[in-house]
Amino acid sequence: MDPVLIDLPMQLVSERLILRCPRPGDGPVANEAERESIQDLRPWMPWARADKSVAESEAWCRRAHARYLLREELHLFIFERDVLGREGSLIGGIGLHHIDWALRSFEIGYWRRRGFGGRGHATEAVHALVRFAFDQLAARRVEIRTDDANRLSWRLAERAGFTLEALLRGDSLSPTGEVRSTRVYARVRGIEEPMALPNAAAAAA
């Protein structure tokens, strides 16, 4: 099946959050969130640049929207959900990357805006995306890969029930050019996740 024919929602809703696909017009708010968080993001995220313009952020949002429609990558912004169920502050980003639709394998990436730590938002967003991947996309495998030095990130993976499968020693360079090691975490159908229900697999086929 051509992945572009797979029907996907443009947003997910959890108890406190709205996870929504980037769309045209999101550039200014995305740029503001990244600029506020640059010191936290720069050691880990190659795309985190202090000199990124609003126009560059807007172009990224439009490309991310297009990639979502093509089912190439599923980027989502994380918004707080207000008491009326509307979008509040943009507090980070999350998504499914390195997608293999034949295997139904996905990698989760995430970042959090400065000033919103310690509230469990990132963990809640990961839980929501994991459930979406396994329950609606019939995932067989979901990974999280994180720098071994990024303790906050890999602790989140462990809180979300992922199993450490490997430490890839000296496998790549950090955004600052230092040799880094990567932790590979995963949840796998039939191990951390129960076997798929027949109707769920059929719906995602």
Side-chain angles (χ1 to χ4, degrees), residues 26-104:
D26 283 337
V29 68
N31 187 270
E32 179 183 36
E34 289 181 27
R35 282 181 174 273
E36 288 182 3
S37 312
I38 195 69
Q39 296 303 320
D40 298 334
L41 299 175
R42 182 180 286 157
W44 321 113
M45 306 295 185
W47 48 263
R49 297 178 11 242
D51 62 345
K52 184 182 292 185
S53 69
V54 172
E56 287 177 306
S57 295
E58 176 66 19
W60 182 90
C61 290
R62 296 184 182 211
R63 291 191 181 95
H65 186 85
R67 287 194 292 267
Y68 195 101
L69 295 177
L70 293 171
R71 310 310 187 221
E72 295 175 351
E73 286 193 282
L74 306 181
H75 290 281
L76 296 162
F77 284 136
I78 305 170
F79 294 93
E80 285 188 308
R81 187 159 68 97
D82 69 15
V83 294
L84 298 178
R86 301 170 303 190
E87 288 181 8
S89 299
L90 172 61
I91 61 175
I94 195 168
L96 296 174
H97 314 293
H98 301 114
I99 297 173
D100 184 334
W101 286 109
L103 179 61
R104 295 282 170 160

Side-chain angles (χ1 to χ4, degrees), residues 11-29:
Q11 70 175 34
L12 309 175
V13 178
S14 64
E15 181 181 358
R16 299 179 296 162
L17 305 173
I18 295 173
L19 312 183
R20 196 253 292 156
C21 172
R23 60 192 181 201
D26 283 337
V29 68

